[in-house]
Amino acid sequence: MGVIRPRGKGDLVLLDRLTIRDVELPNRVVMAPMSQRAADPTGRATPWHLVHYGARAVGGVGLIMIEDCAVAPEGRGHSGALGLWDDDQGDALRPVVEFCHDQGATVGLQLGHTGRKAFADEADPLDPVVGATGEPFDAASHEPRALSDEEVRRLVGAYGQAAARARRIGVDVVEVHASNGYLLHEFLSPLTNTRPGPYGPDGAERVLVEVVAAVRDAVGPGAPVFVRLCVDDLAAGGWRPETVTPVVESLRRAGCDVVDAAAGGAVDGASSFDRPVDFTGLAREIRTRTGVPTVVAGGIADAAAADEALASGACDLVAVGRLLLENPYWAASLVRPGAGT
Ligand SMILES: Cc1cc2nc3c(=O)[nH]c(=O)nc-3n(C[C@H](O)[C@H](O)[C@H](O)COP(=O)(O)O)c2cc1C
């Protein structure tokens, strides 16, 4: 069914299949989650999403990772963000998932909550901005309201419910978003978590571990769970690959199969868009130190770089973002003439 044919002699490692739990990915190319700002005002998918994801599925991507979908209304980063806190939102995404499957792709979906980095814009005047603490991200950001411990517990449940919803519409892989300075990362990072109580710095990983356990429970034993984890805060006093290892081990025990090794975003001026980041090196560090399979979260310039990352043992999958925005058929173009069957 898929556009990319089975690997032939001399072909790229990138085109190897990979089985994780009960899901067989047709190749190692992941479409990186990329928010499209194209949802309707209620967070439902629109024809844009069918065309956008559908084109990359036709174009041979092995795992389409649907962009960050908010697990609660105040978790949307902006008024064009997708949500998955109700069944109607799931119904709107179902045709996207089905179409991608029909093209031979597998489908993942990222669950997130933008936390204090949300833009409370005119389209969403009623959504409050909430965070782990009452500290705004920067001088231009809204002042968040710190979530109570009880609200945090409810949010953990919301991740589980959204994950179950994703599975009901046919999603194969659920990814928990814990990077970019969004809510789960804000709780995790020593740079930002100054709240008192059980979800404070002493239990920095607690929310994320509880979320992953809830998601694992909701998706069942056959479905892979990925975590897009900030493994380098790109700032003094923050996480580094060598210090984040115990967090990765806790996540694995909670049911995480794969770490999508991201960086930065917790504090102002420390974003992976502000400076070059060796994502392949980060994935390698995590995979080597913990044995947990990894995804290179970005920075892949071409097929040779992707293949080298895989062949060298840095990672098991490569996420490709902007390259796929420029060329939806990039993955299909990797098939060498005469290769496969
Ligand atoms: C337009 C755009 C939207 C993005 N939205 C998300 C998102 O929803 N979730 C996420 O984890 N990362 C998001 N990212 C980051 C990408 O997933 C990826 O890590 C980043 O673009 C680096 O990969 P690249 O060098 O292949 O583009 C976004 C990036 C872009 C360019």
Side-chain angles (χ1 to χ4, degrees), residues 256-269:
C256 164
D257 300 302
V258 175
V259 168
D260 184 355
V267 290
D268 200 15

Side-chain angles (χ1 to χ4, degrees), residues 49-126:
H49 298 94
L50 182 59
V51 173
H52 171 73
Y53 291 113
R56 277 78 192 176
V58 170
V61 167
L63 174 62
I64 300 278
M65 189 63 77
I66 294 176
E67 69 203 67
D68 190 3
C69 293
V71 300
E74 64 281 5
R76 290 172 88 199
H78 47 78
S79 56
L82 287 174
L84 197 55
W85 66 83
D86 74 29
D87 289 344
D88 288 348
Q89 292 164 333
D91 288 343
L93 270 172
R94 191 191 299 270
V96 177
V97 179
E98 289 175 351
F99 183 85
C100 292
H101 280 163
D102 285 348
Q103 309 315 311
T106 55
V107 181
L109 181 145
Q110 194 184 51
L111 290 177
H113 188 303
T114 319
R116 68 178 186 160
K117 287 180 104 175
F119 303 103
D121 58 25
E122 285 171 13
D124 287 323
L126 298 178

